[in-house]
Amino acid sequence: MTANAEKSLSADSELLAMREALQNRLDQLLPAGNERDLVGAAMREGALAPGKRIRPLLLMLAARDLGCDGSHTGLLDLACAVEMVHAASLMLDDIPSMDNALLRRGRPTVHRQFGENVAILAAVALLSRAFGVVAAAPELSGLCRAQAVAELSAAVGLQGLVQGQYQDLYEGGDARSAEAILTTNELKTSMLFGATLQMAAIAAESPSTVRQKLRCFAQDLGQAFQLLDDLADSLSGTGKDCNKDEGKSTLVAMLGAEMAQQRLREHLRSADQHLAGACHQGVATRRFMNAWFDQQLAMIG
């Protein structure tokens, strides 16, 4: 076996172990209630259903690449909190008054399983639980916890996911400039990536210069991620509804698939440069990001 193959196998095993640890910790943080606890069951369905876990994995890998001890128990809780926020955003995104989606992660959406009212309550409860988990994360100082809460709050609020979703709902069907589309994409996608990386930097006690490079990395990563999502909109087998972007103003609709892929790769190159500048002690985050996008782009063709 070559050295590269050994490294790849080791990285795959490490990611598998991380995913398993995330799943187990989420299960602990969101315990099953009695059979009448529909909100609790909906919370677990939204957060524990098999997913890519991109954000929590990035947090854990980046923190380690920044010099944080891999055995730091607080990292896992921060990662789980980010996944709870992401799951809550998907649950709200899917409800009938928004995207009215039928499938998520290859399963019926939460509102189809439990009703729209329960899905909304469960999403709010997941957000609340996420902030509680961050506020109590072990092995972090009170200041670090407060900073992490602030980062996550900014990503979720009116200048983050909420504003991005509003723009997508009320402006997405209109003709928009490329700049307007990029702004919506940043709010919907880059902001939570930004909070994820900032929380990793907080745990690693990284200086402001590193944190700024990570913000730039997150901006490019979010744009690449959204372009990938838009390019895959018409594909089957993604685990969610096809053609949900039909009639919406996206960069793929504006530029065409080929130009959109070119822009995606430009964002990836820029993201990699920012990440290389931020992480001097390890390359696991870069390896993970590049391998994941290569895999996804190969599926698009």
Side-chain angles (χ1 to χ4, degrees), residues 4 39 59 69 82 99 101 105 117 147 164 180 215 223 226-227 243 245 250-251 254 268 275 280-281 286 300:
N4 285 338
V39 173
L59 190 153
D69 188 340
V82 167
D99 281 0
R105 294 175 171 173
N117 51 0
Q147 290 176 340
R215 289 193 191 280
Q223 294 294 346
Q226 190 59 54
L227 278 166
N243 299 315
D245 289 341
T250 66
L251 286 178
M254 175 184 290
L268 286 180
L275 188 56
H280 302 294
Q281 300 187 48
R286 294 175 66 193
I300 291 173

Side-chain angles (χ1 to χ4, degrees), residues 34 41 60 67 75 96 193 208 217 230 244 271 291:
N34 61 56
M60 296 172 73
L75 286 181
F193 276 123
S208 58
F217 164 65
D230 293 343
K244 293 300 288 185

Side-chain angles (χ1 to χ4, degrees), residues 80-93:
C80 286
V82 167
E83 185 66 12
M84 289 181 199
V85 169
H86 178 55
S89 73
L90 297 181
M91 289 161 64
L92 292 173
D93 193 43

Side-chain angles (χ1 to χ4, degrees), residues 122-265:
V124 173
L126 269 179
L127 290 171
S128 175
R129 184 69 177 116
F131 284 106
V133 168
V134 175
E139 294 190 48
L140 289 173
S141 68
L143 177 60
C144 286
R145 291 173 187 163
Q147 290 176 340
V149 166
E151 289 289 345
L152 200 55
S153 175
V156 172
L158 193 57
Q159 297 307 312
L161 290 172
V162 170
Q163 183 64 230
Q165 181 69 359
Y166 176 83
Q167 290 183 10
D168 196 44
L169 285 171
Y170 287 91
E171 300 172 14
D174 301 329
R176 294 186 294 173
S177 66
E179 290 72 20
I181 295 171
L182 288 171
T183 297
T184 299
N185 291 349
E186 179 171 356
L187 293 166
K188 282 187 64 180
T189 310
S190 295
M191 288 292 287
L192 187 54
F193 276 123
T196 298
L197 273 298
Q198 290 304 307
M199 290 163 73
I202 288 166
E205 300 181 358
S206 299
S208 58
T209 51
V210 168
R211 292 182 62 172
Q212 181 55 40
K213 289 173 183 175
L214 289 175
R215 289 193 191 280
C216 294
F217 164 65
Q219 288 175 345
D220 275 312
L221 178 63
Q223 294 294 346
F225 200 89
Q226 190 59 54
L227 278 166
L228 180 68
D229 191 63
D230 293 343
L231 284 163
D233 180 62
S234 61
L235 299 180
S236 60
T238 62
K240 56 185 181 179
D241 300 1
C242 298
N243 299 315
K244 293 300 288 185
D245 289 341
E246 191 171 347
K248 288 175 64 174
S249 53
T250 66
L251 286 178
V252 174
M254 175 184 290
L255 303 174
E258 185 175 346
M259 284 295 295
Q261 278 207 40
Q262 182 177 324
R263 288 190 68 147
L264 188 159
R265 294 185 186 280

